[in-house]
Amino acid sequence: MGSLVAALGSYLNARHQGGNWLVRMDDIDTPRNVPGIDKTILRTLDHHALHWDGSVYYSSQHLEDYEAAFQTLKTAGALFPCGCSRREISNHPVNSARQPGQTLIYPGTCRDGKAKQTPLRSYRLRVASSPIRFKDRLQGLQSDCLINSVGDFVVKDGHGQHHYQLATVVDDQRQQITEVVRGADLLASTARQIHLQTQLGYGRPVYLHLPVVKDALGFKLSKQQGATAIDDSQASQNLVIALTLLAQQPPGDLTSLTPAEIVQWGIYHWDTAPLMRMPSAALPPTSAN
């Protein structure tokens, strides 16, 4: 349901403005890809009348573009090789107060050169000490000093795998994305992506981060927390729940309508103002989704 809420919110926002809605499969982390999951996702979107424009974009088909961007950064001197392991970074004093699950701060160990005896584990992008500021359409003015929040971050590992932050920035540029609508759990990634856009000479999309859907216990609704997949045969009911979680209060009971009719109602009435008054969306305890 959390994924459906994010998809529906981005869909309604695009269609309400007369824009296109694009679907991208972030599938560059091949060891974690589940065979056939893309078809399952597309089938669920189709059942819920969330029809995309153009062809589905698979990130795994654009590795050459990521490598070209990587080489641009490397030539500009914006990157440096790093031999630090996750354990070494975790044990550094700068991370002594970090809680489990929090992003580790890179302490800059290899900034001035990697020790020759250590293996190459990654390439990191240098960050500045000045804050990156941007205005999110829903979350308001944001300021993130990357040197203090994450430090120099990885864009490619020692095995040649390009990382998400670089890939998504290149994909946004290639697809000419003008507005990114996604869950607020990705808000912390935005400053890193803006830094990459600046380094690569790309334009900056507008951002809108939706409240994260939480379960009855207050945890983010996700597969990691054991959330079950939504039932495609209950598409109308799912959409009404998603609209409610997006603070779009439909009049009466819309569940008797078709998914397409519910989505059309949502497009016409889409309003982000009510979302500004809710920090997160929570499913009722009785919900099975």
Side-chain angles (χ1 to χ4, degrees):
M1 180 58 74
S3 297
L4 178 64
V5 167
L8 179 62
S10 65
Y11 186 92
L12 298 182
N13 188 74
R15 296 301 193 212
H16 183 77
Q17 300 177 84
N20 290 331
W21 189 67
L22 308 182
V23 169
R24 179 192 305 162
M25 296 292 174
D26 291 322
D27 60 344
I28 59 168
D29 192 357
T30 51
R32 298 178 61 188
N33 289 342
V34 178
I37 193 64
D38 58 329
K39 295 180 176 59
T40 300
I41 293 170
L42 297 176
R43 184 169 59 249
T44 294
L45 292 175
D46 192 52
H47 275 291
H48 290 79
L50 302 178
H51 306 303
W52 54 93
D53 294 290
S55 302
V56 176
Y57 184 105
Y58 286 82
S59 294
S60 60
Q61 298 175 3
H62 298 275
L63 302 183
E64 292 181 358
D65 298 313
Y66 310 145
E67 182 60 21
F70 171 81
Q71 292 298 333
T72 296
L73 294 169
K74 189 176 181 181
T75 300
L79 305 176
F80 63 89
C82 177
C84 298
S85 68
R86 181 176 179 83
R87 175 176 292 182
E88 290 168 338
I89 297 170
S90 178
N91 290 337
H92 193 277
V94 75
N95 289 305
S96 59
R98 308 298 281 182
Q99 298 299 314
Q102 284 188 304
T103 301
L104 295 175
I105 301 171
Y106 179 69
T109 308
C110 298
R111 254 195 167 209
D112 297 324
K114 180 182 72 67
K116 292 182 178 180
Q117 68 272 20
T118 59
L120 173 65
R121 288 192 168 93
S122 64
Y123 285 92
R124 293 180 178 272
L125 179 67
R126 299 177 189 275
V127 299
S129 57
S130 55
I132 291 176
R133 296 185 175 92
F134 64 98
K135 187 173 183 180
D136 185 272
R137 278 192 56 201
L138 188 60
Q139 308 295 334
L141 185 63
Q142 304 292 314
S143 180
D144 187 349
C145 185
L146 292 174
I147 197 72
N148 296 326
S149 61
V150 295
D152 307 311
F153 58 93
V154 175
V155 295
K156 184 179 180 181
D157 66 26
H159 301 291
Q161 173 76 55
H162 302 95
H163 277 219
Y164 164 76
Q165 303 295 356
L166 176 63
T168 198
V169 164
V170 173
D171 290 340
D172 286 348
Q173 178 73 7
R174 280 187 54 82
Q175 290 189 283
Q176 299 182 306
I177 300 297
T178 56
E179 189 165 27
V180 174
V181 181
R182 57 192 181 188
D185 53 323
L186 288 169
L187 184 61
S189 288
T190 307
R192 277 172 275 179
Q193 293 168 13
I194 290 174
H195 182 54
L196 273 164
Q197 291 158 4
T198 301
Q199 295 296 310
L200 291 166
Y202 294 170
R204 182 191 301 187
V206 174
Y207 291 95
L208 192 162
H209 287 83
L210 299 166
V212 173
V213 179
K214 298 183 178 181
D215 62 20
L217 298 177
F219 294 104
K220 175 191 169 184
L221 200 68
S222 66
K223 289 180 291 185
Q224 289 85 348
Q225 295 294 339
T228 57
I230 57 175
D231 184 351
D232 289 344
S233 69
Q234 302 294 316
S236 292
Q237 292 90 327
N238 295 336
L239 286 167
V240 170
I241 293 172
L243 282 171
T244 302
L245 292 170
L246 287 165
Q248 311 297 301
Q249 302 298 336
D253 184 7
L254 298 185
T255 56
S256 61
L257 301 180
T258 66
E261 290 170 333
I262 295 171
V263 168
Q264 284 303 310
W265 182 93
I267 293 171
Y268 184 79
H269 293 91
W270 176 246
D271 183 8
T272 58
L275 279 166
M276 296 180 182
R277 298 189 287 271
M278 53 184 296
S280 62
L283 286 175
T286 55
S287 174
N289 291 324

